[in-house]
Amino acid sequence: MEKGRMRNLTMTAALNTALREEMRRDETVIVMGEDIGVYGGVYGVTIGLQREFGPDRVRDTPISEMAIAGMALGAALGGLRPVAEIMYCDFLAHAADAIVNNAAKWRYMSGGQYALPLVVRSPAGGGGGTAAQHSQSLEAWFTHIPGLKVVMPSVPRDARGLLKAAIRDDNPVVFIEHKHHYTYKGEVPAEEEIIPLGVADVKRAGTDLTVVSWSRHLTLCLEAAEILAAEGISLEVVDPRTLQPLDLATICQSVAKTGRLAVVHEAVLFGGFGGEIVAQVVQECWGDLKQPPLRIGAPFCPIPYSEPMESFVIPQVTTIVDRLRAYLA
Amino acid sequence: MEKGRMRNLTMTAALNTALREEMRRDETVIVMGEDIGVYGGVYGVTIGLQREFGPDRVRDTPISEMAIAGMALGAALGGLRPVAEIMYCDFLAHAADAIVNNAAKWRYMSGGQYALPLVVRSPAGGGGGTAAQHSQSLEAWFTHIPGLKVVMPSVPRDARGLLKAAIRDDNPVVFIEHKHHYTYKGEVPAEEEIIPLGVADVKRAGTDLTVVSWSRHLTLCLEAAEILAAEGISLEVVDPRTLQPLDLATICQSVAKTGRLAVVHEAVLFGGFGGEIVAQVVQECWGDLKQPPLRIGAPFCPIPYSEPMESFVIPQVTTIVDRLRAYLA
Amino acid sequence: METKDRELLLHFYEDMLRIRFFEEKVRDVLLPQRLFRGSSHLYIGQEAIAVGVTHALRDDDYVISTHRGHGHALAKGVDPYAMFSEIMGRTTGCCQGYGGSMHLADASRRFVGEDPVIGSNSPIAAGLALAVKQRGSDQVVANYFGEGAVNAGAFHEAANLAALWQLPVLFLCENNLYAISVPVEQSSAIQDLENRACSYGLAGRRVNGQDVMAVYNAAREAVAATRQQSRPSYLVFDTYRFEGHHTADKETYRPAEEAVEEFRARDPVHLLEKAMIDDHTVDIPTTIAYRDRVREEIDAAFDRAREAPWPAPEQALRFVYTESEVR
Amino acid sequence: METKDRELLLHFYEDMLRIRFFEEKVRDVLLPQRLFRGSSHLYIGQEAIAVGVTHALRDDDYVISTHRGHGHALAKGVDPYAMFSEIMGRTTGCCQGYGGSMHLADASRRFVGEDPVIGSNSPIAAGLALAVKQRGSDQVVANYFGEGAVNAGAFHEAANLAALWQLPVLFLCENNLYAISVPVEQSSAIQDLENRACSYGLAGRRVNGQDVMAVYNAAREAVAATRQQSRPSYLVFDTYRFEGHHTADKETYRPAEEAVEEFRARDPVHLLEKAMIDDHTVDIPTTIAYRDRVREEIDAAFDRAREAPWPAPEQALRFVYTESEVR
Ligand SMILES: Cc1ncc(C[n+]2csc(CCOP(=O)(O)OP(=O)(O)O)c2C)c(N)n1
Ligand SMILES: Cc1ncc(C[n+]2csc(CCOP(=O)(O)OP(=O)(O)O)c2C)c(N)n1
Ligand SMILES: [Mg+2]
Ligand SMILES: [Mg+2]
């Protein structure tokens, strides 16, 4: 898997590559959303696509999130493979009816007559002072909805390989990026690579504690692992990559080895996806667990604007290190 | 608490009583939503209110859920105490931006300048063949959002007392009823009763297993408890009544006694609120737990229309009994 | 009258009867015998619209419908047996029992489906029209909705985008005066609903929805314009909901006389029948023969559906995702 | 020129300068020195609108604003020091640092707040107007939004309801030609945006947004009608966004000349200044004195805000709920 030429790409470039490759491969793939054309998306993910594929396949929309998602669904029913961008994951709230009530259920309600090859991409997360309405992490909403798949890549290689798989998938996929992780760099194979949805990746092997995390926080956990390694603490860091379907087997295999589980996410702890993972692991690995699983996430408040407060709310590497160290003490 | 005259009311009548009492008490309380005026609401909860309080305070709206919720928020900022009805909880998806991005955060973002005395009522749940788009249980979405309170009454007395508390609360409250539980009857005190949000209620005392459930499923659990009691199995049935704030202390107290926990809800198991309860209880009561907590909920599919399939998906009393019996075996 | 016209009228007549008898079966047999669950929204009184519109469409044109879609489905050629089966939750249903009355769909008839979430079907229709346009096809998409839907944000977003991108959608508003109990005067800021799309430069046209010929002619023009110029059209049909909103509606909100007097007189089936008899297109024995034949067809479909098998409970777990996931 | 008019013009002038200098401070000092986080959306070029509108309002009228609301806030009398503090995340901010540039609010000035979720502020404004009406008050609610917002479903639902229920809201559309990078021709199906509310029977009026007197006069009429008749008004202001969408915008989507030539000439501050000088309302030394005074005020506010204290991290946990929960 590691052989072949590699390129060092940002998350943005990796996602852009995936879109470009899939649009070249399949002319039914179209991209739509606000400011994704000439502007290339507010985070640059669609840069250059309109120039290459033209305004019919790369469509700037008005500020109409209900229609962006609803039309993507309609276009999927009509034989296209739309990739819709919702500029901030907070505004998935506007698109929620189309995604949750219609896209997720249309195949089911029709008794299997339709496939819905549709991707909704959206950046989540805080950390840059965008405050309460432009910083949420709402993955837990979508993981709870049968019929949707939910992808949250943490590194450029996964971002590219998973987005390609999402576009080729015949089911609606909510693909959540992190707005303060777009410049994060990593190795991406020059060759085609499809990373199947539903397969976790052990990003770092270790023996003392299984840490499950995703998106930007996975990379913070890797930093924490590095720091703790110097203290002789060995973390195994597991990246589910897709939360739905969830590769529980890989997580349990790790817990069987380490006997301990911590789940770390940026989302609000209460009601966050960490609770689901803990509940499932407790169920499956009861005998293996040496202590109650730990959850690290945001406290129960919206994301505040001011820097000291925001840094307090979003788990930082130092917090993660301290909490994990204390947990293992 | 049990003294005084009691009336036997349906859930509908209890909710109607609460609205009527609060509207009489406080003229800033208004009610708005689709078909809530002459029609009295599709489930009859607002029957007679327009006749008593007039069309200014009981307002039929067009089919405009974004505006129903957004206007309720604006009206709250302007000094009213609106109670908005969203006809089906599935359509909270349309109102999600107003509720989640604005109502939940407006006070916080303003640095505490505003209070948002606002209730959004909505019926959830399946069981009557209303199929995938009119049967969901989406409480997990709202429990995850700081700034919201989430109430899910299971019996008429609670419905009336909690709705009154919700209306008097200065924070936005999502008040979720169950569409196939409206005719359920129970004793309601004739006198005024306010049931504070955030206080769980032990609906049945027992010793072998703590069962946490809410809304219609709580009453199914009480039926299950009755059946199992005949077999010598003693369930303690705890009703959190409000999921946000969650009265974890009462749950843990029960688990300390029984050593076992089962959470039962109608919502999809995966990502449902049961996971949060299990994760919190595992954390708090690790030493007390004799076996891994059990979760019972809907499998990972939308609600199908046809009866045999719908009954398979929504946990029935018999399923609950069988699962609990097996769990304790 | 030309033979061609006569044939067309008889087609209308037959199709309207099929809807009428289907819905009467739902009302008079399925409802009292509790043969279906949830609620069913009858199309009685509005038959001329679905029939007139559908005859103006090609077979390969798409239809996206609403909660009140039995008539739209039947007009588009969905099999009554598959529909009765679906409404009664049987595996032989057009959706194998997963959908029920509010989610009828038949991809083979390009009856894309009912979407009972008010307003939300318009973006889907616009998206489908986008796909049609992108594919270079000259199909059109017919999007039915009630007058209640024009107040929903999703309708607005879709109408603007369809007009902006010049998409081949027909926005078809059936103004039956009520959204459940709320009369149109209490839902729309303006009453001339044909102007509810002026914000997008869509000149709406108001059509007598009880007169199938008027519907057909208006729809034909609109379909032609939409197909040839690839742009949306917007028609508003004046009609009336003869029955309650759904099968459980007690209709406390409207005066009983209203339904009986003013509107019964505008029954589209009777109007067509009377017109055909008056101008000697048909004689009474012919109408009786038609009625008998269609009623038999519906009876047979129902009888057969009633005996159809139920899905096994665990079938509920199918169709959540496609089997083939990566192409 | 009457003294009263002269005074009014000078008020306009001062208020416009305050906004201009405030925004220039954000652009020229806060931005390069990284004194704020997230993004800030400058009002430069649009000052005549907020100032003209606000002078037509009473002090107790409400304002619901957008992401581009610094100008709306200043015009409504929010303290520049509290605003700079907020934008720099300090406890002395009008929202104590919880909100930042996109969530400025000052209940005491009836500047209800910015709501940067496009379209979503209109239902809030309509709801506030409902409360006003229900209370029997004659206040009005001014609801600003950009031309991008008219395509959002929430705007549509609110406009219909405000017209239907005759609520005292002023819908104020600032058409600065772009929504981030998307030009209005690519977002709205029609370009005469004053007609974007015809669907609700709202006759829009198009106003030159660069001419403060024109804005003021149009707003005065609209406010009077809205206040006296308790009904919505809808005004569209032609304007231009002189700067990028937000402070990080590289403006790749619009030709550089466009900004420089055609529009710089329509700078509302210069236009007013020139008009006042041309008709001898003021002389140049007076304008200079005004400029100096307002600039000093802004400089002082900024300098003071810069030294203001930061919130303690754990303050983040406050204000999620009210303390008093049951009355
Ligand atoms: C978004 C949404 N809100 C509410 C409902 C509940 N509901 C079902 S039908 C209906 C009335 C629809 O009225 P109209 O659009 O006029 O269609 P009609 O029933 O008259 O054919 C309502 C409110 C819904 N299905 N979807
Ligand atoms: C619902 C929603 N979608 C997208 C955005 C991102 N966004 C912020 S400002 C903006 C453009 C707004 O344009 P316009 O309404 O014309 O106001 P202007 O910025 O020109 O003042 C967009 C798309 C948002 N804030 N809210
Ligand atoms: Mg109607
Ligand atoms: Mg603009």
Side-chain angles (χ1 to χ4, degrees):
Chain A
M1 191 151 136
E2 294 298 308
K3 70 180 153 54
R5 208 156 46 83
M6 298 297 262
R7 292 179 300 169
N8 198 254
L9 298 183
T10 60
M11 289 292 273
T12 309
L15 293 163
N16 184 271
T17 303
L19 289 170
R20 196 179 298 269
E21 288 172 345
E22 293 306 302
M23 292 186 79
R24 284 185 185 155
R25 175 178 180 271
D26 179 352
E27 65 172 19
T28 66
V29 177
I30 66 160
V31 178
M32 57 194 288
E34 296 157 15
D35 302 284
I36 61 153
V38 177
Y39 202 69
V42 288
Y43 294 106
V45 173
T46 55
I47 274 179
L49 297 182
Q50 193 175 68
R51 185 164 333 142
E52 179 167 348
F53 301 103
D56 282 352
R57 289 184 62 198
V58 181
R59 289 186 172 257
D60 272 326
T61 65
I63 304 169
S64 304
E65 282 86 3
M66 300 180 100
I68 294 170
M71 287 180 67
L73 155 53
L77 288 172
L80 301 183
R81 303 186 86 81
V83 182
E85 175 173 315
I86 299 293
M87 196 184 284
Y88 289 91
C89 105
D90 314 73
F91 308 142
L92 286 172
H94 292 277
D97 169 65
I99 298 172
V100 166
N101 290 331
N102 276 313
K105 300 174 172 57
W106 199 277
R107 172 179 176 72
Y108 188 80
M109 296 184 302
S110 75
Q113 293 181 65
Y114 300 99
L116 279 293
L118 149 77
V119 179
V120 179
R121 292 180 38 245
S122 194
T130 44
Q133 292 179 334
H134 291 73
S135 302
Q136 289 169 92
S137 297
L138 294 175
E139 63 265 27
W141 280 22
F142 301 97
T143 54
H144 187 39
I145 305 297
L148 298 179
K149 299 188 177 184
V150 180
V151 183
M152 292 188 79
S154 64
V155 296
R157 181 176 190 159
D158 291 348
R160 186 252 205 158
L162 292 167
L163 182 52
K164 287 167 69 81
I167 292 170
R168 297 188 194 187
D169 198 290
D170 279 334
N171 301 284
V173 179
V174 177
F175 193 97
I176 304 180
E177 302 160 12
H178 194 293
K179 70 175 73 65
H180 298 293
H181 204 48
Y182 279 121
T183 54
Y184 183 85
K185 284 191 158 186
E187 299 286 289
V188 178
E191 273 135 59
E192 168 115 327
E193 182 180 49
I194 308 288
I195 298 180
L197 308 188
V199 181
D201 186 37
V202 178
K203 286 274 188 304
R204 180 187 175 111
T207 52
D208 296 333
L209 167 64
T210 299
V211 177
V212 177
S213 189
W214 52 88
S215 192
R216 177 167 172 262
H217 268 69
L218 180 115
T219 64
L220 303 190
C221 289
L222 289 175
E223 286 181 48
E226 204 60 48
I227 294 167
L228 288 169
E231 302 176 17
I233 296 172
S234 165
L235 304 186
E236 175 142 312
V237 182
V238 180
D239 181 356
R241 302 199 286 200
T242 62
L243 304 188
Q244 187 60 263
L246 177 69
D247 179 359
L248 187 67
T250 299
I251 296 171
C252 288
Q253 218 173 308
S254 175
V255 172
K257 185 169 73 173
T258 64
R260 291 185 181 87
L261 171 72
V263 187
V264 181
H265 58 56
E266 178 174 330
V268 169
L269 190 74
F270 194 105
F273 192 66
E276 181 61 31
I277 294 183
V278 166
Q280 291 198 25
V281 168
V282 164
Q283 180 67 42
E284 294 299 312
C285 315
W286 182 251
D288 295 321
L289 284 169
K290 297 180 192 146
Q291 60 189 97
L294 176 70
R295 287 191 296 162
I296 301 178
F300 205 64
C301 64
I303 304 288
Y305 167 68
S306 184
E307 208 284 324
M309 295 197 290
E310 192 189 27
S311 299
F312 173 79
V313 166
I314 298 177
Q316 309 291 315
V317 174
T318 49
T319 332
I320 297 169
V321 166
D322 291 348
R323 295 283 309 276
L324 295 181
R325 192 193 291 117
Y327 179 70
L328 290 169
Chain B
M1 192 152 136
E2 295 297 310
K3 69 179 152 55
R5 206 156 47 82
M6 300 297 264
R7 292 178 300 170
N8 198 255
L9 299 183
T10 60
M11 289 292 273
T12 308
L15 293 163
N16 184 271
T17 304
L19 288 169
R20 195 180 298 269
E21 287 173 345
E22 293 306 302
M23 292 187 78
R24 284 184 185 157
R25 174 180 181 269
D26 179 351
E27 65 171 18
T28 66
V29 177
I30 65 161
V31 178
M32 58 195 285
E34 296 157 15
D35 303 284
I36 61 151
V38 177
Y39 202 68
V42 288
Y43 294 107
V45 173
T46 55
I47 274 178
L49 298 181
Q50 192 176 69
R51 184 163 334 141
E52 177 167 350
F53 302 103
D56 282 352
R57 289 183 64 197
V58 181
R59 289 186 171 260
D60 271 327
T61 65
I63 304 169
S64 303
E65 283 85 3
M66 301 181 99
I68 294 171
M71 287 182 67
L73 154 54
L77 288 172
L80 301 183
R81 303 185 86 82
V83 182
E85 174 173 317
I86 299 293
M87 195 183 288
Y88 288 92
C89 107
D90 314 73
F91 308 143
L92 286 172
H94 292 278
D97 169 65
I99 298 172
V100 166
N101 291 329
N102 276 313
K105 299 174 173 58
W106 199 278
R107 172 178 176 73
Y108 189 80
M109 296 185 301
S110 75
Q113 293 181 65
Y114 299 99
L116 278 294
L118 152 76
V119 179
V120 179
R121 290 181 40 245
S122 194
T130 46
Q133 293 179 333
H134 291 73
S135 302
Q136 290 170 91
S137 297
L138 294 175
E139 62 265 26
W141 281 22
F142 300 99
T143 54
H144 186 39
I145 305 297
L148 299 178
K149 299 189 176 182
V150 180
V151 183
M152 291 188 80
S154 64
V155 297
R157 180 176 190 159
D158 291 348
R160 187 253 207 156
L162 291 167
L163 182 53
K164 287 167 68 81
I167 292 171
R168 297 188 193 187
D169 198 291
D170 279 334
N171 301 285
V173 178
V174 177
F175 193 98
I176 303 179
E177 301 157 13
H178 195 291
K179 71 176 74 64
H180 298 294
H181 204 46
Y182 279 119
T183 53
Y184 184 86
K185 283 191 159 187
E187 298 286 290
V188 178
E191 272 134 61
E192 168 115 329
E193 181 181 49
I194 308 287
I195 298 179
L197 308 188
V199 181
D201 185 39
V202 179
K203 286 274 188 304
R204 180 188 177 108
T207 51
D208 296 333
L209 168 64
T210 299
V211 177
V212 176
S213 190
W214 51 89
S215 193
R216 176 168 174 262
H217 268 69
L218 180 115
T219 62
L220 304 191
C221 288
L222 290 175
E223 286 181 48
E226 205 60 49
I227 294 168
L228 288 170
E231 303 175 15
I233 296 173
S234 164
L235 304 187
E236 174 143 313
V237 182
V238 180
D239 182 356
R241 300 198 288 201
T242 61
L243 303 187
Q244 188 60 263
L246 178 69
D247 180 359
L248 187 67
T250 299
I251 296 171
C252 287
Q253 217 173 308
S254 175
V255 172
K257 187 170 73 172
T258 64
R260 292 186 183 86
L261 171 72
V263 186
V264 181
H265 58 56
E266 178 174 330
V268 169
L269 190 74
F270 194 105
F273 192 65
E276 180 61 30
I277 294 183
V278 166
Q280 290 197 26
V281 168
V282 164
Q283 179 68 42
E284 293 299 313
C285 316
W286 183 251
D288 295 321
L289 284 168
K290 296 180 194 146
Q291 61 189 96
L294 176 70
R295 288 190 295 162
I296 300 177
F300 206 63
C301 64
I303 304 288
Y305 167 69
S306 184
E307 208 283 326
M309 295 197 289
E310 191 189 27
S311 300
F312 173 80
V313 167
I314 297 177
Q316 310 291 316
V317 174
T318 50
T319 332
I320 298 169
V321 166
D322 291 347
R323 296 284 309 277
L324 296 181
R325 190 192 293 115
Y327 179 70
L328 290 169
Chain C
M1 175 158 291
E2 292 187 26
T3 336
K4 217 176 114 260
D5 284 354
R6 183 174 186 273
E7 264 173 35
L8 188 63
L9 284 175
L10 285 170
H11 273 304
F12 290 165
Y13 185 54
E14 175 175 335
D15 288 358
M16 287 166 70
L17 288 176
R18 186 173 294 110
I19 298 173
R20 176 64 56 94
F21 295 157
F22 186 96
E23 295 293 59
E24 287 179 351
K25 184 71 85 177
V26 174
R27 184 190 64 192
D28 301 335
V29 180
L30 279 81
L31 176 66
Q33 297 190 22
R34 298 173 178 274
L35 293 175
F36 70 88
R37 315 174 69 225
S39 49
S40 223
H41 305 82
L42 301 179
Y43 199 63
I44 294 177
Q46 305 183 201
E47 295 90 343
I49 302 169
V51 170
V53 165
T54 309
H55 278 274
L57 295 174
R58 285 197 324 229
D59 236 37
D60 67 337
D61 289 331
Y62 295 99
V63 168
I64 303 261
S65 163
T66 66
H67 58 290
R68 197 176 300 289
H70 299 176
H72 308 145
L74 287 165
K76 196 68 171 66
V78 183
D79 178 5
Y81 166 64
M83 288 175 55
F84 278 131
S85 297
E86 186 59 37
I87 294 171
M88 293 192 286
R90 311 306 170 90
T91 51
T92 51
C94 51
C95 304
Q96 301 190 42
Y98 289 74
S101 165
M102 288 197 290
H103 301 286
L104 301 174
D106 184 347
S108 71
R109 298 300 316 157
R110 296 280 196 277
F111 182 73
V112 183
E114 295 180 301
D115 179 4
V117 187
I118 307 300
S120 297
N121 66 4
S122 293
I124 298 174
L128 198 48
L130 173 65
V132 161
K133 188 168 181 155
Q134 208 96 330
R135 282 200 262 106
S137 158
D138 71 345
Q139 291 157 291
V140 303
V141 181
N143 173 213
Y144 293 100
F145 48 86
E147 90 296 336
V150 297
N151 309 305
F155 165 73
H156 167 82
E157 296 189 359
N160 182 57
L161 264 155
L164 183 71
W165 290 357
Q166 296 282 286
L167 302 177
V169 200
L170 295 145
F171 291 113
L172 305 169
C173 178
E174 300 187 62
N175 181 7
N176 63 7
L177 304 182
Y178 289 92
I180 307 189
S181 72
V182 179
V184 62
E185 305 87 55
Q186 283 175 39
S187 70
S188 172
I190 61 175
Q191 293 306 303
D192 37 345
L193 291 194
E194 65 279 18
N195 293 337
R196 278 304 297 269
C198 59
S199 298
Y200 329 105
L202 292 181
R205 180 166 162 196
R206 188 167 170 177
V207 181
N208 177 356
Q210 305 310 95
D211 176 350
V212 65
M213 210 54 189
V215 171
Y216 173 69
N217 286 330
R220 232 176 21 159
E221 280 175 37
V223 168
T226 290
R227 197 186 308 283
Q228 282 149 27
Q229 299 158 41
S230 179
R231 63 160 181 80
S233 295
Y234 177 55
L235 299 177
V236 178
F237 300 100
D238 288 316
T239 185
Y240 193 72
R241 206 186 67 204
F242 277 43
E243 304 294 324
H245 169 68
H246 52 53
T247 37
D249 183 1
K250 301 221 168 54
E251 297 178 71
T252 46
Y253 49 87
R254 60 179 183 187
E257 327 80 77
E258 184 192 83
V260 179
E261 282 162 45
E262 186 179 348
F263 289 94
R264 291 285 169 199
R266 301 203 287 133
D267 181 324
V269 178
H270 294 171
L271 288 179
L272 174 61
E273 214 168 47
K274 188 168 179 312
M276 289 195 303
I277 291 168
D278 285 354
D279 75 357
H280 309 290
T281 305
V282 292
D283 53 14
I284 289 177
T286 310
T287 63
I288 292 175
Y290 263 82
R291 285 181 168 265
D292 288 347
R293 184 164 53 75
V294 177
R295 202 185 293 280
E296 253 168 55
E297 179 201 326
I298 292 294
D299 285 347
F302 167 72
D303 292 342
R304 204 149 64 88
R306 186 175 200 161
E307 303 306 318
W310 294 92
E314 57 289 348
Q315 292 289 325
L317 303 177
R318 287 177 67 202
F319 300 137
V320 184
Y321 299 96
T322 59
E323 266 85 78
S324 71
E325 290 181 0
V326 174
R327 293 183 309 166
Chain D
M1 175 159 294
E2 289 188 28
T3 336
K4 217 177 114 258
D5 284 356
R6 184 175 184 272
E7 263 173 37
L8 188 65
L9 284 175
L10 285 169
H11 272 305
F12 290 165
Y13 186 52
E14 176 174 334
D15 288 358
M16 286 166 69
L17 287 176
R18 185 173 296 110
I19 298 173
R20 176 63 56 93
F21 295 158
F22 186 96
E23 295 293 60
E24 287 179 353
K25 185 70 86 178
V26 174
R27 184 191 63 192
D28 301 335
V29 180
L30 279 80
L31 176 67
Q33 296 189 24
R34 298 173 178 274
L35 294 175
F36 70 87
R37 316 174 70 226
S39 49
S40 223
H41 305 81
L42 301 178
Y43 200 63
I44 294 177
Q46 304 183 201
E47 296 90 343
I49 301 168
V51 169
V53 165
T54 309
H55 277 273
L57 295 174
R58 284 195 328 227
D59 237 36
D60 67 338
D61 288 331
Y62 294 99
V63 168
I64 302 260
S65 163
T66 66
H67 59 290
R68 198 177 299 290
H70 299 176
H72 308 145
L74 288 164
K76 197 69 172 62
V78 183
D79 179 4
Y81 165 64
M83 288 174 54
F84 277 131
S85 296
E86 186 59 36
I87 295 171
M88 293 192 289
R90 311 306 170 90
T91 51
T92 51
C94 51
C95 303
Q96 301 190 44
Y98 289 75
S101 164
M102 287 197 290
H103 301 287
L104 301 174
D106 184 347
S108 70
R109 300 299 316 156
R110 296 279 196 278
F111 182 73
V112 182
E114 297 180 300
D115 179 4
V117 186
I118 306 300
S120 297
N121 66 4
S122 294
I124 299 174
L128 199 47
L130 173 64
V132 160
K133 187 167 182 155
Q134 207 97 330
R135 281 200 261 106
S137 158
D138 71 343
Q139 291 157 293
V140 302
V141 181
N143 174 215
Y144 294 100
F145 47 85
E147 90 295 337
V150 297
N151 310 305
F155 164 73
H156 167 83
E157 296 189 359
N160 182 57
L161 265 156
L164 183 70
W165 290 357
Q166 296 282 288
L167 303 177
V169 199
L170 296 145
F171 292 113
L172 305 169
C173 177
E174 301 187 63
N175 180 7
N176 63 8
L177 305 183
Y178 289 93
I180 307 188
S181 74
V182 179
V184 61
E185 305 87 55
Q186 283 175 38
S187 70
S188 172
I190 61 174
Q191 293 305 302
D192 38 344
L193 292 194
E194 65 278 18
N195 292 337
R196 278 305 296 268
C198 58
S199 297
Y200 328 107
L202 293 181
R205 180 165 162 197
R206 187 167 171 177
V207 182
N208 177 357
Q210 304 310 94
D211 176 350
V212 67
M213 209 55 187
V215 172
Y216 174 69
N217 286 330
R220 233 177 19 160
E221 280 176 37
V223 168
T226 290
R227 198 186 307 284
Q228 283 149 27
Q229 300 159 39
S230 180
R231 63 160 180 80
S233 295
Y234 177 54
L235 299 177
V236 179
F237 300 101
D238 287 316
T239 185
Y240 193 71
R241 206 187 67 205
F242 277 43
E243 306 292 325
H245 169 69
H246 52 53
T247 38
D249 183 2
K250 299 221 170 55
E251 295 179 74
T252 45
Y253 49 87
R254 60 180 181 187
E257 327 81 75
E258 182 192 82
V260 179
E261 282 161 44
E262 186 182 345
F263 289 94
R264 291 287 169 198
R266 300 204 287 134
D267 181 325
V269 177
H270 294 170
L271 287 179
L272 174 60
E273 213 166 49
K274 190 168 177 311
M276 288 195 303
I277 291 167
D278 285 355
D279 75 358
H280 308 291
T281 307
V282 293
D283 53 14
I284 289 176
T286 310
T287 64
I288 292 175
Y290 263 82
R291 285 179 168 266
D292 287 349
R293 184 164 53 73
V294 176
R295 201 184 295 278
E296 252 168 55
E297 180 202 324
I298 292 295
D299 285 348
F302 168 70
D303 292 342
R304 205 149 65 88
R306 187 175 198 159
E307 303 306 319
W310 293 92
E314 57 290 348
Q315 292 289 324
L317 303 178
R318 287 178 65 201
F319 300 136
V320 183
Y321 298 97
T322 59
E323 266 86 79
S324 71
E325 292 182 358
V326 172
R327 295 183 309 166

